[in-house]
Amino acid sequence: MSKFLIEGGYPLNGTVRISGSKNAALPIIAAALLTEEECVIHDVPDITDVHIMAQIIRDLGGEVDFENNTMKIRAKVLYSHEILTEDAKKLRTSILFLSGLLARKGEARVVFPGGCFIGKRPIDTHLRAFEDLGAQVLSSENVIHVVTSGLKGAGIRLLEMSVTGAENTIIAAVMAEGHTEIRQCPTEPHVQDLCHFLNSMGAKISGIGTNILHIDGVPKLHGTTHTVTPDYIEAGTFIIGALVTKGHLKIENINPDHLDILWVYLEEMGAKFTLTEDAVEVFPTENLMALKKVRTSVFPDFPTDLLAPMAILLTQAYGISRVFETMFESRLNYIVELEKMGVRAEILNNHEAIIVGPATLKGTTVTSWDLRAGTAMVLAGLAATGTTEVSEIKYIDRGYENFEEKLTQIGAKISRIE
Ligand code: EPU
């Protein structure tokens, strides 16, 4: 079991480049199954989840090379329609192969997915959309089993604005016969990036970036070359890291439009930063002010995946802040860890907590409850006095590329102990 040891009190200074988005790369890798030709994908983050997705494609019979953040996928022949490995079980995005396998093989059996434990994560949205497209769900318990004699375009109203639910629906629809309309579609940058990738393969998706997509099915897709959109959650994490350590940091390879709600909140808090077309420069700021309420919602509102890091920033702000997680029921565990570090906070219910700032964070032993709570703990350790030990960092390895190397390069004192 690996842990991070962090010696706090060192500002993050210099320049850091943001990697390609995890949540864009994963569905794009799954969508590459749709063609027999080669797909070359640049800026794929070198993280555990990506390696597991690559291995799944190899197990199905495809070829995958992954070097220097470029992944080449060639799914010329798929021998199997089953994904039943232990690794696949650990990963939420293994279900994204259901759609590609349905389109290519007419059948898919995929083990029920795991992933971070952050609340109930049903898959009814995915299955209902497959049924709308003419598939039959034979089982949905431990193994999801779907079959079709041919996917057909349909009018689909997604049950929930589920990101992976929408992605599975889009991947299934692009080669379905006829026209598909997907209503209530989330517009997260990773959903948009998947659509651009598919269009570059010859798909006909319009309405990208809106809640209603129109897809004209095509019989065949071809190989392509694509660069993954930058990871706005990683960007937000480094921005907050600079602010909590009072560093002077330039964060490159971002799309400022993806984080416009963060800029609004940072301005309200009095944080000093400047934006350019693809970078943000964060300056040391004293006397940050609390936020009355940070409420998560679908894009372009505040992302649930950035709330835990944001909570660390709020511990350094004057006044009482309230965080409101609307999407998941078990995503506030990091508040308990923060209390261990000396923060005055209270969990009001499964979705809401208050944080009293500013707090002097004291280094201690804390747990990484999930990917984002884990990075939040690292940020807290960077801002704390003394040494912080963060356990269960396997979650962080699943989603942040070279996290401790990147932090070390900009002045953090962080080491990994096995
Ligand atoms: N939901 C349903 N039915 C479904 C699916 C979802 O009711 O069939 C509900 C869930 O209960 C939840 C909401 O819809 O309230 C979204 O949950 P979902 O499990 O669908 O999220 P997801 O699409 O699987 C993606 C990201 C998550 C991110 C959420 C919300 C990927 C690979 N994962 O998950 O990212 O938190 O959207 O934006 O894109 C992370 O990166 O740390 C992470 C957890």
Side-chain angles (χ1 to χ4, degrees):
M1 204 173 63
S2 310
K3 296 172 180 183
F4 280 143
L5 273 189
I6 302 151
E7 207 186 315
Y10 294 89
L12 300 185
N13 287 326
T15 302
V16 66
R17 184 187 182 274
I18 297 306
S19 301
S21 159
K22 162 181 94 79
N23 288 345
L26 299 172
I28 284 173
I29 292 169
L33 277 200
L34 290 176
T35 176
E36 294 177 11
E37 297 177 18
E38 184 174 79
C39 294
V40 180
I41 311 161
H42 298 298
D43 235 348
V44 176
D46 193 342
I47 52 176
T48 318
D49 278 13
V50 158
H51 285 277
I52 297 176
M53 294 290 278
Q55 191 51 45
I56 290 174
I57 295 188
R58 291 187 192 106
D59 293 344
L60 291 170
E63 292 167 23
V64 185
D65 291 326
F66 186 33
E67 228 179 325
N68 300 326
N69 296 106
T70 292
M71 185 172 278
K72 293 181 183 163
I73 301 173
R74 193 151 182 253
K76 188 167 172 49
V77 192
L78 295 177
Y79 299 113
S80 171
H81 62 270
E82 296 192 329
I83 303 173
L84 304 170
T85 60
E86 281 303 308
D87 272 349
K89 214 192 274 186
K90 290 184 205 144
L91 192 73
R92 175 79 178 166
T93 48
S94 49
I95 41 169
L96 288 171
F97 287 111
L98 283 169
S99 42
L101 287 172
L102 267 180
R104 280 285 295 271
K105 308 283 287 181
E107 181 167 15
R109 284 186 77 230
V110 177
V111 67
F112 200 91
C116 284
F117 183 73
I118 52 182
K120 280 187 224 126
R121 300 191 79 182
I123 58 158
D124 48 341
T125 301
H126 305 236
L127 300 182
R128 174 83 169 264
F130 290 150
E131 285 175 338
D132 288 342
L133 290 166
Q136 228 189 319
V137 179
L138 299 181
S139 80
S140 57
E141 294 289 311
N142 299 328
V143 173
I144 307 153
H145 190 185
V146 282
V147 293
T148 183
S149 54
L151 294 170
K152 299 228 162 26
I156 301 172
R157 199 275 183 197
L158 295 180
L159 286 178
E160 281 283 334
M161 269 212 183
S162 160
V163 164
T164 52
E167 290 164 349
N168 244 338
T169 310
I170 294 164
I171 299 170
V174 286
M175 282 169 59
E177 193 190 319
H179 183 80
T180 296
E181 179 181 276
I182 305 175
R183 301 180 77 85
Q184 170 96 336
C185 187
T187 60
E188 268 66 4
H190 29 290
V191 178
Q192 296 187 38
D193 204 33
L194 169 69
C195 292
H196 292 306
F197 171 72
L198 287 165
N199 276 355
S200 76
M201 295 169 80
K204 292 200 170 128
I205 308 171
S206 58
I208 299 171
T210 75
N211 297 125
I212 303 179
L213 293 185
H214 287 275
I215 302 177
D216 286 310
V218 293
K220 211 169 174 274
L221 294 177
H222 52 75
T224 188
T225 299
H226 180 81
T227 300
V228 175
T229 189
D231 195 319
Y232 66 118
I233 305 297
E234 189 198 11
T237 306
F238 278 100
I239 292 163
I240 291 168
L243 286 168
V244 294
T245 61
K246 300 195 169 54
H248 178 189
L249 189 64
K250 187 167 183 202
I251 296 133
E252 294 180 338
N253 192 36
I254 70 160
N255 180 339
D257 290 348
H258 293 172
L259 282 165
D260 56 6
I261 183 68
L262 181 64
W263 315 135
V264 171
Y265 282 144
L266 292 183
E267 274 168 11
E268 220 174 303
M269 294 179 81
K272 292 184 198 144
F273 64 97
T274 53
L275 290 175
T276 58
E277 205 178 303
D278 63 355
V280 56
E281 192 168 350
V282 180
F283 301 95
T285 310
E286 301 291 337
N287 303 330
L288 290 168
M289 297 308 295
L291 291 174
K292 278 199 194 75
K293 191 170 183 178
V294 181
R295 181 181 178 278
T296 65
S297 191
V298 291
F299 187 79
D301 216 334
F302 198 83
T304 168
D305 294 338
L306 203 53
L307 190 60
M310 190 65 179
I312 310 306
L313 186 59
L314 296 174
T315 68
Q316 303 306 300
Y318 283 83
I320 299 177
S321 299
R322 181 182 289 251
V323 291
F324 185 10
E325 165 54 45
T326 62
M327 224 166 276
F328 297 107
E329 304 82 9
S330 309
R331 222 177 183 182
L332 294 179
N333 293 328
Y334 58 87
I335 297 282
V336 177
E337 305 301 304
L338 284 180
E339 285 177 309
K340 290 184 199 161
M341 296 181 81
V343 175
R344 276 175 58 211
E346 193 183 342
I347 297 180
L348 304 176
N349 54 55
N350 283 352
H351 294 277
E352 278 180 284
I354 53 169
I355 296 166
V356 184
T360 305
L361 295 165
K362 292 181 203 70
T364 186
T365 301
V366 288
T367 299
S368 161
W369 281 97
D370 65 65
L371 167 58
R372 309 303 175 181
T375 45
M377 287 305 115
V378 172
L379 296 180
L382 296 173
T385 55
T387 305
T388 302
E389 185 178 307
V390 183
S391 63
E392 298 289 346
I393 62 170
K394 60 175 189 250
Y395 291 114
I396 300 174
D397 292 337
R398 289 186 40 189
Y400 286 78
E401 179 175 58
N402 301 329
F403 195 43
E404 72 263 39
E405 286 87 348
K406 282 189 179 181
L407 284 171
T408 303
Q409 277 165 16
I410 52 178
K413 304 278 178 231
I414 177 168
S415 54
R416 179 183 289 257
I417 46 172
E418 299 295 337

